[in-house]
Amino acid sequence: MALTTIQKVLLLGLTGAAVFFATYHLTESPPFTFDEGWYFQTAANLVTANVEGIQLAPGDIEHVSTFVTVGYPLIYPLALWFKLFGISVLSARSLMVLFILLFLITSYVLARKLCGVATALAALALLATFPPLYGNGKPVLGEVPGLLYLVLSLLCLYQARTHTLHKTFWIILTGISVGLCIVTKPLFLIMAPALLAGVYGEWKKNIFTLRDIGIGFLSTLAPIAAWVVVQFRSSDSFSTVLSYYANPYNTQLSTTILHNLGGLFSDVNTLYTVGIAFVWAAALWVRRTAQEDIPSEERIAFVFAMLVILAYLRTGGFYRYLFPAQAVMLIFFPHALMRISMFAHSFFPRLQSRLVAMSFITLLGMLGSYQVLFHSWVAEAYTSQKTAFWESYLSEVSTTTSIFFYNAPEVAAFAPHRNYYQYIENFGRSIGADQRTAITAGTVDRIIIQTGWYIPTDPLFKKYTTDRTAYKYSVLRLR
């Protein structure tokens, strides 16, 4: 169905808004973070030293198989991007803008195929004005690339079950997309059981044969097999890898789960997630009660979102780990809200169900736009000069001046030369501990450390004194 003039204008306007939000103060907002420093360095070292790892000392680049959990579907495109456009924060985040826009486009296409143009535009409006999309999407992180592969898999699945002419082709693309999604970030491992929930239903309806399922399964395994080869080394212990992926935060799971479960109902951000999930679940119940057919793509998306929420309970409680569920739910939320409004209309005939639903979505879009611009994680950093400061400061450091980046991989990403050391600690796990002897011996010229980590009375730093502080970091020099 062709778009009307108003729909074309709206589509163009939403796309323009997304481009603006995604590129506004790109290098500074949100701030360059710890995890982003990990992935940035890994891709940069892959380009410059042909090693997917982190430099711990001059000439010593450690392959970080289990410590860096983001897989090659992000690291390899980023490395290629660096090779083409140079290694810099602007270059890296420009690739992330591309990921954001591709995710929005595929989400719009999927929603349009499943629910129609109006609903797809509503979904695009919610996604394009959703602050966490930019807070988690502009930095070099795995969430948005993983979501892109996820939505692509749903789109290919839709094509596979509705186009018999090239069915096998679309099944293969579905499997490859699922595999890429799964290995982008450990969180997306739960896509596997979600996919089974949808494929089983299509098999029962004789849409897919066992041969089709077998082809899809093998296609899914191909990217996963490649991930095992490039991500892990022969010396890695399977039990160590499994324990890290099962409990990456090294916390007491029972205590963590109970704490996060209470947090779901005590904060605006988490209540927003719970509210959207409730509306979607209620709409699915109404549709099932009315014996309406629910597309397998929506069933898969729903199971995935619910599993993400459950997986969130075992994490450190960062809102970032709810983001994939939120993004997926927003694709289907407009249709769910419309169905609930129609259901309410059957009890209250005077209720203008479509008007109520669209008004609510418009309100959410306006609120989201306000938050992106003025009151959100990205908005708080619009005036920041953190990236510009470190780029300028470190560019003036001589190649003969050695630097020790102490648990600051996000600053080490700006290192202008290879004469540096690193120690990194995260949730009780560390790498580069042996390099700290360079500090105790006083053989490094400067240390850059988060101010909160610097304890002047610590014997480790007895040969150093504070030279300056900036953006919650301390620069130490020899006494």
Side-chain angles (χ1 to χ4, degrees), residues 125-341:
L126 292 179
L127 285 170
T129 59
F130 189 49
L133 176 63
Y134 307 104
N136 296 296
K138 292 168 70 176
V140 181
L141 300 173
E143 279 76 6
V144 170
L147 284 168
L148 171 61
Y149 298 128
L150 185 153
V151 178
L152 274 176
S153 71
L154 298 180
L155 195 54
C156 291
L157 180 63
Y158 172 86
Q159 295 293 108
R161 69 178 181 85
T162 57
H163 292 73
T164 56
L165 183 60
H166 302 292
K167 184 178 181 180
T168 300
F169 170 76
W170 289 111
I171 287 174
I172 292 173
L173 286 186
T174 300
I176 292 174
S177 300
V178 171
L180 290 173
C181 171
I182 287 174
V183 302
T184 298
K185 193 175 176 66
L187 171 65
F188 292 99
L189 287 167
I190 58 181
M191 181 59 179
L195 182 68
L196 289 176
V199 171
Y200 176 73
E202 298 303 322
W203 175 70
K204 287 189 66 176
K205 292 186 291 186
N206 296 317
I207 300 297
F208 292 146
T209 65
L210 290 178
R211 175 181 176 275
D212 295 330
I213 295 174
I215 292 173
F217 178 71
L218 292 175
S219 300
T220 302
L221 284 183
I224 296 176
W227 172 64
V228 172
V229 171
V230 303
Q231 183 87 2
F232 304 106
R233 299 167 297 178
S234 58
S235 59
D236 289 326
S237 164
F238 177 75
S239 60
T240 301
V241 172
L242 186 63
S243 65
Y244 180 72
Y245 278 71
N247 184 16
Y249 299 95
N250 199 28
T251 60
Q252 181 64 40
L253 286 180
S254 58
T255 303
T256 301
I257 289 172
L258 288 174
H259 177 267
N260 289 334
L261 186 61
L264 279 177
F265 302 92
S266 61
D267 186 89
V268 173
N269 295 288
T270 51
L271 282 174
Y272 177 81
T273 304
V274 172
I276 293 176
F278 176 79
V279 171
W280 192 8
L284 289 173
W285 177 80
V286 169
R287 291 161 65 187
R288 286 296 299 270
T289 302
Q291 297 185 334
E292 296 178 19
D293 182 53
I294 299 173
S296 57
E297 296 80 20
E298 186 171 2
R299 292 200 303 271
I300 292 169
F302 181 78
V303 173
F304 171 81
M306 296 306 105
L307 289 176
V308 168
I309 294 174
L310 289 176
Y312 163 80
L313 298 179
R314 57 182 266 285
T315 70
F318 303 115
Y319 296 143
R320 167 181 159 193
Y321 299 113
L322 279 176
F323 166 66
Q326 295 170 330
V328 168
M329 288 191 291
L330 288 177
I331 298 174
F332 297 92
F333 178 72
H335 184 255
L337 183 63
M338 184 64 68
R339 192 62 185 84
I340 290 295
S341 298

Side-chain angles (χ1 to χ4, degrees), residues 445-447 449 454 461 464-467 474-478:
D445 299 308
R446 300 185 194 181
I447 301 172
I449 182 174
Y454 175 48
F461 305 110
Y464 294 86
T465 186
T466 303
D467 180 61
S474 295
V475 178
L476 312 182
R477 59 173 173 80
L478 284 167

Side-chain angles (χ1 to χ4, degrees), residues 418-471:
R418 288 288 180 180
N419 190 12
Y420 69 88
Y421 300 76
Q422 279 195 93
Y423 166 76
I424 305 174
E425 182 178 325
N426 194 24
F427 292 103
R429 299 177 175 90
S430 64
I431 61 171
D434 294 342
Q435 308 304 331
R436 290 184 293 181
T437 55
I439 297 178
T440 54
T443 57
V444 289
D445 299 308
R446 300 185 194 181
I447 301 172
I448 297 179
I449 182 174
Q450 292 183 39
T451 301
W453 279 73
Y454 175 48
I455 302 174
T457 56
D458 189 331
L460 179 65
F461 305 110
K462 66 181 180 180
K463 294 186 178 182
Y464 294 86
T465 186
T466 303
D467 180 61
R468 67 186 303 175
T469 59
Y471 292 97

